[in-house]
Protein backbone atom coordinates (compact mmCIF):
# COMPACT_ATOMS: atom_id res chain seq x y z
CA UNK A 1 0.00 0.00 0.00
CA UNK A 2 2.88 2.39 0.78
CA UNK A 3 4.29 1.96 -2.73
CA UNK A 4 1.10 2.54 -4.71
CA UNK A 5 2.22 5.72 -6.44
CA UNK A 6 5.52 4.29 -7.66
CA UNK A 7 3.62 1.30 -9.01
CA UNK A 8 1.20 3.60 -10.87
CA UNK A 9 3.95 5.56 -12.65
CA UNK A 10 6.32 2.62 -13.18
CA UNK A 11 7.36 2.15 -16.81
CA UNK A 12 6.09 -1.44 -16.98
CA UNK A 13 2.68 -0.35 -15.69
CA UNK A 14 2.45 2.55 -18.16
CA UNK A 15 3.40 0.25 -21.03
CA UNK A 16 0.75 -2.28 -19.93
CA UNK A 17 -1.76 0.57 -19.65
CA UNK A 18 -0.99 1.66 -23.22
CA UNK A 19 -1.48 -1.88 -24.52
CA UNK A 20 -4.85 -2.16 -22.74
CA UNK A 21 -6.00 1.25 -23.97
CA UNK A 22 -4.97 0.39 -27.54
CA UNK A 23 -6.61 -3.07 -27.54
CA UNK A 24 -9.11 -3.12 -30.39
CA UNK A 25 -8.29 0.53 -31.23
CA UNK A 26 -5.05 0.16 -33.18
CA UNK A 27 -6.75 1.27 -36.39
CA UNK A 28 -8.25 4.40 -34.80
CA UNK A 29 -6.50 7.70 -35.38
CA UNK A 30 -6.00 8.74 -31.69
CA UNK A 31 -4.45 5.37 -30.82
CA UNK A 32 -2.32 5.33 -33.97
CA UNK A 33 -1.15 8.87 -33.30
CA UNK A 34 -0.12 7.97 -29.74
CA UNK A 35 1.55 4.75 -30.88
CA UNK A 36 3.76 6.80 -33.21
CA UNK A 37 6.73 7.54 -30.94
CA UNK A 38 4.95 5.72 -28.12
CA UNK A 39 8.08 5.48 -25.96
CA UNK A 40 8.62 9.24 -26.06
CA UNK A 41 4.98 9.90 -25.24
CA UNK A 42 4.99 7.50 -22.29
CA UNK A 43 8.22 9.02 -20.95
CA UNK A 44 6.64 12.49 -21.17
CA UNK A 45 3.47 11.24 -19.49
CA UNK A 46 5.50 9.59 -16.74
CA UNK A 47 7.42 12.84 -16.15
CA UNK A 48 4.17 14.84 -15.89
CA UNK A 49 2.76 12.40 -13.36
CA UNK A 50 5.96 12.35 -11.33
CA UNK A 51 6.22 16.14 -11.22
CA UNK A 52 2.52 16.69 -10.53
CA UNK A 53 1.96 18.69 -13.72
CA UNK A 54 -0.33 16.18 -15.44
CA UNK A 55 -3.59 17.76 -16.59
CA UNK A 56 -6.37 15.70 -18.20
CA UNK A 57 -7.81 16.85 -21.50
CA UNK A 58 -11.44 17.45 -22.40
CA UNK A 59 -13.96 14.74 -23.16
CA UNK A 60 -15.60 14.16 -26.53
CA UNK A 61 -19.34 13.62 -26.16
CA UNK A 62 -21.83 11.75 -28.34
CA UNK A 63 -25.18 10.02 -27.87
CA UNK A 64 -26.40 6.46 -28.32
CA UNK A 65 -30.00 5.25 -28.28
CA UNK A 66 -29.82 1.59 -27.18
CA UNK A 67 -32.23 1.07 -25.56
CA UNK A 68 -32.61 4.66 -24.39
CA UNK A 69 -30.79 7.89 -25.11
CA UNK A 70 -27.45 8.07 -23.29
CA UNK A 71 -24.65 10.59 -23.40
CA UNK A 72 -21.28 8.88 -23.85
CA UNK A 73 -18.05 10.71 -23.01
CA UNK A 74 -14.72 9.63 -24.49
CA UNK A 75 -11.50 10.81 -22.85
CA UNK A 76 -8.43 11.64 -24.97
CA UNK A 77 -6.28 8.59 -25.63
CA UNK A 78 -3.39 9.68 -23.38
CA UNK A 79 -5.86 10.10 -20.52
CA UNK A 80 -7.20 6.61 -21.16
CA UNK A 81 -3.64 5.34 -20.69
CA UNK A 82 -3.53 7.09 -17.31
CA UNK A 83 -6.92 5.62 -16.36
CA UNK A 84 -5.64 2.12 -17.09
CA UNK A 85 -2.39 2.77 -15.23
CA UNK A 86 -4.31 3.90 -12.16
CA UNK A 87 -6.86 1.07 -12.25
CA UNK A 88 -4.15 -1.56 -12.79
CA UNK A 89 -2.86 -0.70 -9.31
CA UNK A 90 -5.83 0.37 -7.22
CA UNK A 91 -8.46 -2.02 -8.59
CA UNK A 92 -7.07 -5.15 -6.87
CA UNK A 93 -6.78 -3.21 -3.60
CA UNK A 94 -10.36 -1.92 -3.69
CA UNK A 95 -11.85 -5.09 -5.16
CA UNK A 96 -11.01 -6.95 -1.97
CA UNK A 97 -13.47 -4.73 -0.11
CA UNK A 98 -16.40 -5.62 -2.42
CA UNK A 99 -19.00 -8.26 -1.65
CA UNK A 100 -18.91 -11.51 -3.61
CA UNK A 101 -22.13 -10.85 -5.50
CA UNK A 102 -21.35 -7.51 -7.12
CA UNK A 103 -20.95 -8.58 -10.74
CA UNK A 104 -20.29 -5.56 -12.98
CA UNK A 105 -16.83 -4.66 -14.29
CA UNK A 106 -14.95 -7.17 -12.16
CA UNK A 107 -12.54 -9.92 -13.12
CA UNK A 108 -14.16 -13.33 -12.81
CA UNK A 109 -17.70 -11.93 -12.58
CA UNK A 110 -19.82 -10.57 -15.45
CA UNK A 111 -23.32 -11.03 -16.81
CA UNK A 112 -23.29 -14.82 -17.16
CA UNK A 113 -22.39 -15.42 -13.52
CA UNK A 114 -24.92 -12.77 -12.47
CA UNK A 115 -27.64 -14.61 -14.41
CA UNK A 116 -26.65 -17.94 -12.85
CA UNK A 117 -26.67 -16.57 -9.32
CA UNK A 118 -29.98 -14.79 -9.77
CA UNK A 119 -31.60 -18.01 -10.99
CA UNK A 120 -30.10 -19.92 -8.07
CA UNK A 121 -31.63 -17.39 -5.67
CA UNK A 122 -34.99 -17.64 -7.46
CA UNK A 123 -34.99 -21.39 -6.84
CA UNK A 124 -34.61 -20.90 -3.08
CA UNK A 125 -37.01 -18.00 -2.40
CA UNK A 126 -40.61 -17.17 -3.23
CA UNK A 127 -40.41 -13.39 -3.77
CA UNK A 128 -38.01 -10.79 -5.06
CA UNK A 129 -37.61 -6.99 -4.98
CA UNK A 130 -35.73 -5.47 -7.90
CA UNK A 131 -34.60 -1.84 -7.66
CA UNK A 132 -32.47 0.51 -9.73
CA UNK A 133 -31.09 4.02 -9.35
CA UNK A 134 -32.55 7.10 -11.00
CA UNK A 135 -29.89 8.60 -13.32
CA UNK A 136 -27.12 6.61 -11.71
CA UNK A 137 -23.93 7.99 -13.29
CA UNK A 138 -25.10 11.65 -13.39
CA UNK A 139 -26.00 11.44 -9.67
CA UNK A 140 -22.75 10.09 -8.20
CA UNK A 141 -21.45 12.69 -5.74
CA UNK A 142 -17.72 13.45 -5.99
CA UNK A 143 -17.19 14.27 -2.31
CA UNK A 144 -18.82 11.04 -1.16
CA UNK A 145 -16.90 9.00 -3.72
CA UNK A 146 -13.61 10.60 -2.77
CA UNK A 147 -14.28 9.91 0.92
CA UNK A 148 -15.10 6.26 0.17
CA UNK A 149 -11.88 5.82 -1.84
CA UNK A 150 -9.82 7.52 0.87
CA UNK A 151 -10.89 4.89 3.43
CA UNK A 152 -8.78 2.38 1.50
CA UNK A 153 -6.32 4.47 -0.53
CA UNK A 154 -4.03 6.39 1.81
CA UNK A 155 -1.33 7.51 -0.64
CA UNK A 156 -1.73 11.29 -1.07
CA UNK A 157 -0.25 11.25 -4.58
CA UNK A 158 -2.69 8.58 -5.76
CA UNK A 159 -5.54 10.60 -4.25
CA UNK A 160 -4.21 13.67 -6.09
CA UNK A 161 -4.47 11.80 -9.40
CA UNK A 162 -7.97 10.61 -8.50
CA UNK A 163 -8.94 14.22 -7.77
CA UNK A 164 -7.59 15.32 -11.16
CA UNK A 165 -9.56 12.67 -13.03
CA UNK A 166 -12.73 13.38 -11.04
CA UNK A 167 -12.45 17.11 -11.70
CA UNK A 168 -11.96 16.54 -15.43
CA UNK A 169 -15.36 14.81 -15.62
CA UNK A 170 -17.28 17.26 -13.45
CA UNK A 171 -20.24 18.64 -15.36
CA UNK A 172 -19.99 16.10 -18.18
CA UNK A 173 -23.50 14.88 -17.35
CA UNK A 174 -24.89 18.10 -15.86
CA UNK A 175 -27.59 18.26 -18.52
CA UNK A 176 -28.62 14.69 -17.63
CA UNK A 177 -29.18 15.38 -13.92
CA UNK A 178 -32.29 16.75 -12.26
CA UNK A 179 -31.57 18.30 -8.89
CA UNK A 180 -32.76 16.34 -5.86
CA UNK A 181 -32.55 17.86 -2.37
CA UNK A 182 -31.89 15.55 0.55
CA UNK A 183 -32.46 16.14 4.29
CA UNK A 184 -30.00 18.74 5.60
CA UNK A 185 -29.32 20.33 2.18
CA UNK A 186 -29.23 24.07 1.70
CA UNK A 187 -29.61 26.00 -1.54
CA UNK A 188 -25.91 25.60 -2.31
CA UNK A 189 -26.27 21.83 -2.60
CA UNK A 190 -26.99 22.35 -6.28
CA UNK A 191 -23.31 23.31 -6.71
CA UNK A 192 -21.94 20.00 -5.40
CA UNK A 193 -19.70 18.36 -8.03
CA UNK A 194 -21.37 15.22 -9.26
CA UNK A 195 -21.51 12.87 -12.23
CA UNK A 196 -19.10 10.35 -13.73
CA UNK A 197 -18.73 10.32 -17.54
CA UNK A 198 -20.35 7.24 -19.03
CA UNK A 199 -17.83 5.35 -21.12
CA UNK A 200 -14.77 6.03 -18.98
CA UNK A 201 -12.90 3.10 -17.44
CA UNK A 202 -12.56 4.87 -14.11
CA UNK A 203 -16.28 5.68 -14.03
CA UNK A 204 -17.22 2.01 -14.36
CA UNK A 205 -14.86 1.01 -11.57
CA UNK A 206 -15.69 3.93 -9.27
CA UNK A 207 -19.38 3.18 -9.65
CA UNK A 208 -18.72 -0.11 -7.84
CA UNK A 209 -16.76 1.74 -5.15
CA UNK A 210 -19.59 4.23 -4.67
CA UNK A 211 -22.22 1.48 -4.32
CA UNK A 212 -20.06 -0.64 -2.00
CA UNK A 213 -21.56 0.86 1.21
CA UNK A 214 -25.05 -0.10 -0.01
CA UNK A 215 -23.90 -3.66 -0.71
CA UNK A 216 -22.50 -4.04 2.79
CA UNK A 217 -25.59 -2.45 4.32
CA UNK A 218 -27.85 -5.01 2.66
CA UNK A 219 -25.60 -7.99 3.39
CA UNK A 220 -24.19 -7.07 6.81
CA UNK A 221 -26.89 -4.91 8.40
CA UNK A 222 -30.09 -6.28 6.87
CA UNK A 223 -28.61 -9.79 6.91
CA UNK A 224 -29.97 -10.51 3.45
CA UNK A 225 -28.45 -13.77 2.22
CA UNK A 226 -29.80 -13.50 -1.33
CA UNK A 227 -28.70 -10.18 -2.84
CA UNK A 228 -26.83 -9.28 -5.99
CA UNK A 229 -26.05 -6.10 -7.91
CA UNK A 230 -24.99 -5.25 -11.45
CA UNK A 231 -24.01 -1.55 -11.73
CA UNK A 232 -27.14 0.26 -10.43
CA UNK A 233 -29.53 -2.67 -10.83
CA UNK A 234 -29.92 -4.85 -7.72
CA UNK A 235 -32.24 -7.60 -6.48
CA UNK A 236 -33.06 -8.90 -3.00
CA UNK A 237 -34.86 -12.18 -2.35
CA UNK A 238 -36.91 -13.51 0.53
CA UNK A 239 -39.79 -15.88 1.19
CA UNK A 240 -41.52 -13.15 3.20
CA UNK A 241 -43.30 -10.27 1.50
CA UNK A 242 -43.34 -8.27 4.72
CA UNK A 243 -39.57 -8.60 5.08
CA UNK A 244 -38.98 -7.35 1.53
CA UNK A 245 -41.24 -4.32 2.01
CA UNK A 246 -39.38 -3.47 5.22
CA UNK A 247 -36.04 -3.86 3.44
CA UNK A 248 -37.22 -1.56 0.67
CA UNK A 249 -37.85 1.29 3.12
CA UNK A 250 -34.45 0.79 4.78
CA UNK A 251 -32.65 0.61 1.43
CA UNK A 252 -34.29 3.84 0.29
CA UNK A 253 -33.11 5.54 3.49
CA UNK A 254 -29.59 4.23 2.97
CA UNK A 255 -29.58 5.46 -0.64
CA UNK A 256 -30.57 8.93 0.56
CA UNK A 257 -27.37 8.96 2.61
CA UNK A 258 -25.50 8.37 -0.65
CA UNK A 259 -27.51 11.17 -2.31
CA UNK A 260 -29.18 8.64 -4.60
CA UNK A 261 -32.82 7.82 -5.27
CA UNK A 262 -34.36 4.56 -6.49
CA UNK A 263 -37.15 4.44 -9.01
CA UNK A 264 -40.37 4.50 -6.97
CA UNK A 265 -42.20 1.73 -8.81
CA UNK A 266 -40.30 -1.22 -7.32
CA UNK A 267 -42.69 -3.95 -6.17
CA UNK A 268 -42.44 -7.24 -4.33
CA UNK A 269 -43.16 -9.90 -6.95
CA UNK A 270 -43.33 -13.72 -6.91
CA UNK A 271 -40.34 -15.31 -8.64
CA UNK A 272 -42.80 -17.45 -10.60
CA UNK A 273 -43.74 -14.35 -12.63
CA UNK A 274 -40.19 -14.00 -13.99
CA UNK A 275 -37.40 -11.56 -13.18
CA UNK A 276 -36.20 -9.04 -15.81
CA UNK A 277 -32.42 -9.17 -15.55
CA UNK A 278 -29.59 -8.19 -17.92
CA UNK A 279 -31.56 -8.68 -21.12
CA UNK A 280 -33.28 -11.88 -20.01
CA UNK A 281 -36.44 -12.93 -18.21
CA UNK A 282 -35.38 -15.41 -15.52
CA UNK A 283 -37.64 -17.99 -13.91
CA UNK A 284 -36.50 -20.55 -11.34
CA UNK A 285 -35.98 -23.23 -14.00
CA UNK A 286 -35.92 -21.48 -17.37
CA UNK A 287 -34.75 -18.32 -19.13
CA UNK A 288 -36.00 -16.29 -22.07
CA UNK A 289 -34.21 -13.66 -24.11
CA UNK A 290 -35.91 -10.26 -24.18
CA UNK A 291 -37.34 -9.41 -27.59
CA UNK A 292 -35.74 -5.94 -27.60
CA UNK A 293 -32.29 -7.57 -27.46
CA UNK A 294 -33.06 -9.34 -30.74
CA UNK A 295 -34.09 -6.02 -32.27
CA UNK A 296 -30.87 -4.47 -30.99
CA UNK A 297 -28.79 -7.23 -32.54
CA UNK A 298 -30.68 -6.94 -35.82
CA UNK A 299 -29.87 -3.23 -36.01
CA UNK A 300 -26.24 -3.80 -35.11
CA UNK A 301 -25.96 -6.53 -37.73
CA UNK A 302 -27.34 -4.26 -40.46
CA UNK A 303 -24.98 -1.47 -39.36
CA UNK A 304 -21.98 -3.81 -39.37
CA UNK A 305 -22.98 -5.13 -42.78
CA UNK A 306 -22.97 -1.57 -44.11
CA UNK A 307 -19.52 -1.03 -42.60
CA UNK A 308 -18.31 -4.30 -44.11
CA UNK A 309 -19.59 -3.46 -47.60
CA UNK A 310 -17.94 -0.04 -47.30
CA UNK A 311 -14.64 -1.72 -46.43
CA UNK A 312 -14.50 -0.13 -42.98
CA UNK A 313 -14.37 -3.42 -41.05
CA UNK A 314 -12.96 -6.82 -41.96
CA UNK A 315 -14.89 -10.06 -42.30
CA UNK A 316 -13.19 -11.28 -39.11
CA UNK A 317 -14.57 -8.29 -37.20
CA UNK A 318 -18.05 -8.88 -38.60
CA UNK A 319 -17.94 -12.58 -37.76
CA UNK A 320 -16.57 -11.88 -34.27
CA UNK A 321 -19.52 -9.61 -33.51
CA UNK A 322 -22.06 -12.22 -34.59
CA UNK A 323 -20.31 -15.10 -32.83
CA UNK A 324 -20.15 -13.08 -29.60
CA UNK A 325 -23.89 -12.48 -29.71
CA UNK A 326 -24.66 -16.12 -30.48
CA UNK A 327 -22.46 -17.24 -27.60
CA UNK A 328 -24.41 -14.91 -25.32
CA UNK A 329 -27.69 -16.47 -26.46
CA UNK A 330 -26.24 -19.98 -26.28
CA UNK A 331 -25.21 -19.40 -22.66
CA UNK A 332 -28.70 -18.39 -21.63
CA UNK A 333 -30.43 -21.36 -23.23
CA UNK A 334 -30.22 -24.50 -21.06
CA UNK A 335 -28.31 -27.17 -22.93
CA UNK A 336 -26.58 -24.67 -25.19
CA UNK A 337 -26.74 -24.35 -28.96
CA UNK A 338 -24.86 -27.32 -30.30
CA UNK A 339 -23.10 -26.94 -33.60
CA UNK A 340 -23.49 -23.21 -34.22
CA UNK A 341 -20.77 -21.83 -36.49
CA UNK A 342 -21.18 -18.97 -38.89
CA UNK A 343 -17.74 -18.95 -40.42
CA UNK A 344 -16.69 -22.58 -40.67
CA UNK A 345 -19.58 -24.53 -42.16
CA UNK A 346 -18.08 -26.60 -45.03
CA UNK A 347 -20.85 -26.26 -47.57
CA UNK A 348 -21.11 -23.76 -50.36
CA UNK A 349 -24.83 -23.23 -50.57
CA UNK A 350 -25.73 -24.57 -47.15
CA UNK A 351 -28.83 -23.47 -45.29
CA UNK A 352 -28.72 -23.74 -41.51
CA UNK A 353 -31.62 -22.97 -39.26
CA UNK A 354 -31.23 -22.56 -35.53
CA UNK A 355 -34.53 -23.19 -33.92
CA UNK A 356 -35.94 -23.74 -30.46
CA UNK A 357 -35.98 -27.38 -29.35
CA UNK A 358 -36.78 -27.66 -25.64
CA UNK A 359 -35.05 -24.29 -25.24
CA UNK A 360 -31.88 -25.64 -26.84
CA UNK A 361 -31.00 -24.53 -30.36
CA UNK A 362 -29.71 -26.95 -32.98
CA UNK A 363 -28.56 -26.68 -36.57
CA UNK A 364 -30.20 -28.32 -39.57
CA UNK A 365 -28.51 -28.04 -42.97
CA UNK A 366 -30.11 -28.57 -46.33
CA UNK A 367 -29.04 -31.65 -48.21
CA UNK A 368 -26.79 -30.48 -50.99
CA UNK A 369 -24.52 -33.14 -52.41
CA UNK A 370 -20.75 -32.89 -52.56
CA UNK A 371 -20.96 -32.94 -56.36
CA UNK A 372 -23.30 -29.95 -56.46
CA UNK A 373 -21.09 -28.03 -54.08
CA UNK A 374 -18.01 -28.81 -56.14
CA UNK A 375 -19.71 -27.76 -59.38
CA UNK A 376 -20.80 -24.46 -57.87
CA UNK A 377 -17.28 -23.80 -56.58
CA UNK A 378 -15.74 -24.57 -59.97
CA UNK A 379 -18.25 -22.32 -61.71
CA UNK A 380 -17.12 -19.35 -59.69
CA UNK A 381 -13.46 -20.26 -59.53
CA UNK A 382 -11.88 -22.65 -62.01
CA UNK A 383 -8.51 -22.26 -60.23
CA UNK A 384 -9.85 -23.66 -56.98
CA UNK A 385 -11.51 -27.05 -57.54
CA UNK A 386 -11.92 -28.15 -53.90
CA UNK A 387 -15.13 -27.13 -52.12
CA UNK A 388 -13.76 -25.79 -48.85
CA UNK A 389 -15.19 -22.27 -48.92
CA UNK A 390 -16.71 -21.13 -45.66
CA UNK A 391 -20.35 -20.55 -46.54
CA UNK A 392 -23.69 -20.68 -44.76
CA UNK A 393 -27.12 -19.16 -44.73
CA UNK A 394 -28.38 -19.07 -41.20
CA UNK A 395 -31.80 -18.35 -39.73
CA UNK A 396 -32.44 -18.01 -36.04
CA UNK A 397 -35.53 -18.55 -33.97
CA UNK A 398 -35.91 -18.47 -30.17
CA UNK A 399 -38.72 -18.73 -27.69
CA UNK A 400 -39.42 -15.01 -27.39
CA UNK A 401 -38.97 -14.24 -31.06
CA UNK A 402 -39.22 -15.73 -34.50
CA UNK A 403 -42.29 -17.01 -36.17
CA UNK A 404 -43.69 -15.61 -39.38
CA UNK A 405 -40.60 -14.99 -41.46
CA UNK A 406 -36.85 -14.54 -41.50
CA UNK A 407 -34.63 -11.85 -42.94
CA UNK A 408 -31.56 -13.27 -44.66
CA UNK A 409 -28.62 -11.05 -45.57
CA UNK A 410 -25.86 -12.19 -47.90
CA UNK A 411 -22.31 -11.13 -47.02
CA UNK A 412 -19.69 -11.60 -49.75
CA UNK A 413 -16.21 -12.25 -48.39
CA UNK A 414 -13.25 -10.50 -50.02
CA UNK A 415 -11.29 -12.68 -52.43
CA UNK A 416 -7.63 -13.43 -51.63
CA UNK A 417 -4.99 -11.43 -53.49
CA UNK A 418 -4.70 -13.77 -56.44
CA UNK A 419 -5.42 -12.61 -60.01
CA UNK A 420 -7.40 -15.73 -60.85
CA UNK A 421 -9.29 -16.15 -57.56
CA UNK A 422 -12.88 -15.24 -58.43
CA UNK A 423 -14.82 -17.21 -55.85
CA UNK A 424 -17.21 -15.36 -53.54
CA UNK A 425 -17.72 -17.08 -50.22
CA UNK A 426 -21.12 -16.15 -48.86
CA UNK A 427 -22.06 -15.94 -45.20
CA UNK A 428 -25.72 -15.17 -44.63
CA UNK A 429 -26.52 -13.99 -41.15
CA UNK A 430 -30.15 -14.17 -40.12
CA UNK A 431 -31.84 -11.60 -37.97
CA UNK A 432 -34.58 -12.34 -35.54
CA UNK A 433 -38.06 -11.23 -36.52
CA UNK A 434 -40.53 -10.39 -33.80
CA UNK A 435 -43.78 -12.24 -33.53
Amino acid sequence: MDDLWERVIAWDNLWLAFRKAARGKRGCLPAAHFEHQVADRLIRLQAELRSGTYTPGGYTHFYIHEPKRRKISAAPFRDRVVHHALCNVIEPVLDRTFIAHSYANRNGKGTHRAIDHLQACAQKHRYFLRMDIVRHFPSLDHALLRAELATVIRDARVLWLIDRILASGAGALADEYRMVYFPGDDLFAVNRPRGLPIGSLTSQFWSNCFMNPLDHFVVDTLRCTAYLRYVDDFVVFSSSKRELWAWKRQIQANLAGLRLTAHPGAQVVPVAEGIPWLGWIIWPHRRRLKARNAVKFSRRLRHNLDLYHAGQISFAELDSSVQGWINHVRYGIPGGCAGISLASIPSVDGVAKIFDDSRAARVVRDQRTEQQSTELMRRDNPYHPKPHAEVAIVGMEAEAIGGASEVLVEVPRPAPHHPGFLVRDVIALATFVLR
Side-chain angles (χ1 to χ4, degrees), residues 102-376:
S102 168
Y103 286 94
N105 308 306
R106 296 180 64 191
N107 291 329
K109 302 294 182 178
T111 58
H112 291 166
R113 286 182 171 84
I115 290 171
D116 283 344
H117 183 64
L118 182 113
Q119 189 166 50
C121 291
Q123 292 170 359
K124 298 175 183 178
H125 300 86
R126 295 175 59 191
Y127 304 103
F128 74 93
L129 172 67
R130 177 176 172 265
M131 303 176 70
D132 63 323
I133 306 301
V134 177
R135 295 179 178 84
H136 175 65
F137 281 100
S139 302
L140 299 183
D141 188 89
H142 288 194
L144 295 179
L145 173 60
R146 213 283 194 171
E148 176 65 21
L149 294 174
T151 62
V152 181
I153 306 297
R154 305 298 175 84
D155 192 312
R157 294 166 297 179
V158 175
L159 291 174
W160 165 82
L161 180 57
I162 290 172
D163 289 338
R164 282 295 178 98
I165 296 174
L166 274 175
S168 70
L173 296 176
D175 54 340
E176 304 286 316
Y177 178 75
R178 293 180 183 176
M179 183 60 196
V180 178
Y181 288 93
F182 294 92
D185 280 353
D186 55 26
L187 293 178
F188 296 102
V190 72
N191 297 321
R192 294 178 66 101
R194 63 177 62 85
L196 298 181
I198 299 176
S200 171
L201 172 70
T202 52
S203 298
Q204 298 168 13
F205 175 58
W206 287 342
S207 168
N208 275 339
C209 298
F210 196 94
M211 299 295 287
N212 195 36
L214 172 69
D215 297 338
H216 283 284
F217 172 76
V218 175
V219 173
D220 301 332
T221 303
L222 299 183
R223 302 290 183 180
C224 177
T225 58
Y227 165 82
L228 66 162
R229 179 178 60 82
Y230 195 94
V231 190
D232 66 320
D233 200 351
F234 54 94
V235 186
V236 290
F237 291 85
S238 175
S239 292
S240 168
K241 285 185 177 182
R242 181 175 299 178
E243 186 174 48
L244 286 174
W245 283 117
W247 284 351
K248 178 182 178 181
R249 291 189 293 270
Q250 295 177 74
I251 289 172
Q252 288 173 327
N254 185 269
L255 287 174
L258 297 174
R259 305 188 65 82
L260 297 174
T261 56
H263 282 99
Q267 301 291 320
V268 175
V269 182
V271 296
E273 293 188 12
I275 309 168
W277 184 245
L278 303 180
W280 295 82
I281 306 296
I282 310 295
W283 288 270
H285 300 287
R286 63 189 179 100
R287 307 169 184 178
R288 191 183 76 189
L289 183 70
K290 280 188 175 181
R292 75 179 186 191
N293 275 19
V295 174
K296 180 179 177 180
F297 170 73
S298 175
R299 290 172 179 168
R300 187 190 305 133
L301 174 59
R302 289 189 179 95
H303 175 68
N304 287 345
L305 286 172
D306 290 340
L307 294 179
Y308 175 77
H309 285 300
Q312 298 181 28
I313 64 172
S314 66
F315 177 83
E317 291 172 306
L318 173 63
D319 182 62
S320 176
S321 172
V322 176
Q323 289 289 353
W325 195 85
I326 286 182
N327 287 334
H328 174 64
V329 175
R330 172 165 45 197
Y331 182 86
I333 299 175
C337 303
I340 297 178
S341 177
L342 295 184
S344 302
I345 299 177
S347 94
V348 174
D349 195 24
V351 176
K353 185 174 182 179
I354 304 168
F355 62 97
D356 185 33
D357 180 18
S358 300
R359 310 303 176 252
R362 59 192 175 101
V363 176
V364 177
R365 298 180 187 169
D366 69 332
Q367 303 300 316
R368 180 172 292 274
T369 65
E370 180 75 5
Q371 181 180 1
Q372 289 172 311
S373 297
T374 303
E375 289 176 356
L376 182 58

Side-chain angles (χ1 to χ4, degrees), residues 63 72 153 162 328 341 357 383 406 431 434:
Y63 291 89
I72 306 298
I153 306 297
I162 290 172
H328 174 64
S341 177
D357 180 18
Y383 301 96
E406 296 170 351
T431 63
L434 298 177

Side-chain angles (χ1 to χ4, degrees), residues 73-85:
S73 303
F77 186 82
R78 75 189 300 266
D79 292 341
R80 280 177 260 166
V81 174
V82 174
H83 296 174
H84 277 281

